[in-house]
Amino acid sequence: MALSLSRRMVTCALLAGSFMSLSSIANAFELAEQGKLTVAFTGDMPGSGWQDGKLVGYDGEIMQRIADKLGLKIQPALMEWSGTIASVQSDRVDVMLGTMGWTEKRTKIMTLSEPIHYFKNGIMQSTKTNWDKLSDLEGKKIGTITGFSFVSELKSIKDLQLSLYDTSDAAVRDLIAGRIDAVIGDPPVISYAIKQNPDWNMHFLAFTDNSPDFPLLTGLGQVVYGLNQKNDDLRQKMDAIIADMWKTCEMKEIGARYGLSSDVWFKPAGQNFRAGVDRPADYKLPSCAAGG
């Protein structure tokens, strides 16, 4: 009986210590709402969604795990993409997600997490065409989303007629209706939408160009989370959890549930733009290819 009581006491002490540790971590950050992690997201699957009181989708599920490990409750903030960065900068939210690509420009206004997966941009188009080069877009009516990093590069393509949309849904609707010729959007979102709607008769082809003049359109893309610069300590805590998930290939396990299963999403292939910018000069990108 004494031994059993001792064990209970030790167990209670350990649980209390664990609770206090999580509590101290949760209160260590300067958050929009204390004890809660306010997350801006667009609701575009497979990146993000909200279901049964939890974030879902690839980006969302990883963020939910991070919040749980930090002892923070998620406070959802669903909004259009065009409002997410401003919300982070103004402290209305603590972090933004939704297949956001890393860019050097964004490092000047936010602190950016480790990548959670990689991607190559490309063209959503009718199955009647097979455009996979920048030159294929010349003279075409192209749709993309307001605030996307590569908008300025699209504008520099010869005779391209660009239409900006607040949401991916709006852009895709115009493509299906024939009002535009193609959409340049988030590769995971576009691929997921095409898979769910085969009757659209659309496909997605990644750019085969590798042009230094169009690094955002044709280079290696990294999906990251964005935080207010004053919360770099929170970003570092998140990065430590993300690093552990890369080591165990948990990233790929989660990805398989959302159609991101091939190595292209988890193995960096291309120039590492972050080294010497917002990471040390000898920085190496994390990887999880077949077999771990």
Side-chain angles (χ1 to χ4, degrees), residues 4-23:
S4 177
L5 180 59
S6 296
R7 283 177 177 166
R8 285 202 298 272
M9 290 174 67
V10 169
T11 300
C12 288
L14 289 172
L15 288 173
S18 175
F19 176 77
M20 290 173 65
S21 175
L22 283 175
S23 254

Side-chain angles (χ1 to χ4, degrees), residues 195-214:
K195 183 178 180 181
Q196 299 297 312
N197 299 276
D199 55 308
W200 288 352
N201 295 316
M202 298 286 171
H203 64 159
F204 172 85
L205 295 180
F207 286 113
T208 55
D209 309 80
N210 188 12
S211 171
D213 295 327
F214 296 86

Side-chain angles (χ1 to χ4, degrees), residues 35-132:
K36 295 183 179 180
L37 188 67
T38 305
V39 180
F41 66 102
T42 61
D44 285 335
M45 291 292 281
S48 64
W50 184 256
Q51 183 178 332
D52 300 327
K54 289 183 178 294
L55 282 170
V56 295
Y58 182 83
D59 299 43
E61 189 172 326
I62 293 171
M63 181 55 68
Q64 184 68 56
R65 294 195 186 195
I66 290 172
D68 290 344
K69 290 181 179 180
L70 293 177
L72 295 168
K73 182 179 180 181
I74 296 287
Q75 181 68 32
L78 181 65
M79 63 182 68
E80 292 179 350
W81 176 257
S82 55
T84 53
I85 293 179
S87 293
V88 169
Q89 291 180 291
S90 63
D91 293 334
R92 293 195 298 272
V93 304
D94 303 307
V95 60
M96 61 176 289
L97 58 81
T99 58
M100 179 177 73
W102 180 93
T103 69
E104 185 171 354
K105 183 178 179 181
R106 285 175 178 157
T107 67
K108 310 300 182 186
I109 58 175
M110 293 187 289
T111 182
L112 303 178
S113 75
E114 285 291 276
I116 58 172
H117 75 71
Y118 306 103
F119 67 91
K120 283 279 288 183
N121 282 310
I123 308 169
M124 179 182 181
Q125 59 195 286
S126 165
T127 51
K128 296 178 181 178
T129 57
N130 291 290
W131 302 328
D132 61 3

Side-chain angles (χ1 to χ4, degrees), residues 161-181:
Q161 302 171 56
L162 188 63
S163 296
L164 296 175
Y165 298 85
D166 287 332
T167 66
S168 298
D169 285 347
V172 171
R173 281 198 299 271
D174 269 10
L175 174 59
I176 293 169
R179 288 186 282 270
I180 56 178
D181 300 312

